[in-house]
Amino acid sequence: MKKLNSHRIGVDSGLAHGFSDFADDGEMWDGKGERVRRVKVKFSEPFLKPPVVHLGFAMWDISNAANTRVDLAAEDISTKGFTAVFQTWGDTKVARMRANWLAIGEVENDDIWDV
């Protein structure tokens, strides 16, 4: 459990645009090559400590000709941002993917002065 030591909690959110491989027959769609995509996300302002980040699928477009295998994770979480990681394997063909994200953590408190 992350315990926040602040009277000011920041909540930031957004959309991580994963990829669109269907139009140009990219690796995620044709099933060849590296099947991982990493998307850098920056927070609108920095947190005091790395926040808790939650990811959820906003959109996924996957072929129905194979099994659906997808992994979505947040890596390298810092005070300024994180990396959203989209991954698939096997015969799964992913055309497009996007994720919503939510970050919750401590932010600067304008009422506290460091003298």
Side-chain angles (χ1 to χ4, degrees):
M1 173 184 293
K2 182 174 283 251
K3 295 183 180 182
L4 304 175
N5 188 22
S6 175
H7 295 338
R8 189 162 179 191
I9 298 170
V11 178
D12 202 357
S13 64
L15 188 65
H17 295 279
F19 56 88
S20 182
D21 275 11
F22 178 73
D24 60 359
D25 207 26
E27 294 172 338
M28 296 295 256
W29 181 247
D30 75 7
K32 300 173 187 160
E34 187 177 19
R35 312 283 305 282
V36 177
R37 292 291 167 82
R38 287 178 166 76
V39 177
K40 300 277 188 189
V41 175
K42 288 188 177 185
F43 300 132
S44 60
E45 63 182 78
F47 288 89
L48 290 177
K49 297 175 186 173
V52 172
V53 174
H54 174 76
L55 289 171
F57 289 106
M59 188 272 297
W60 67 357
D61 184 1
I62 298 176
S63 170
N64 66 357
N67 290 320
T68 301
R69 301 174 187 94
V70 232
D71 184 38
L72 177 62
E75 292 181 349
D76 304 322
I77 301 169
S78 74
T79 59
K80 296 181 180 180
F82 68 97
T83 302
V85 181
F86 303 87
Q87 182 173 353
T88 190
W89 57 95
D91 60 348
T92 302
K93 294 174 66 170
V94 184
R96 297 175 290 186
M97 194 171 293
R98 287 192 309 263
N100 288 315
W101 59 268
L102 179 71
I104 303 171
E106 296 178 46
V107 294
E108 288 289 335
N109 188 334
D110 296 335
D111 295 334
I112 298 175
W113 294 6
D114 196 16
V115 186

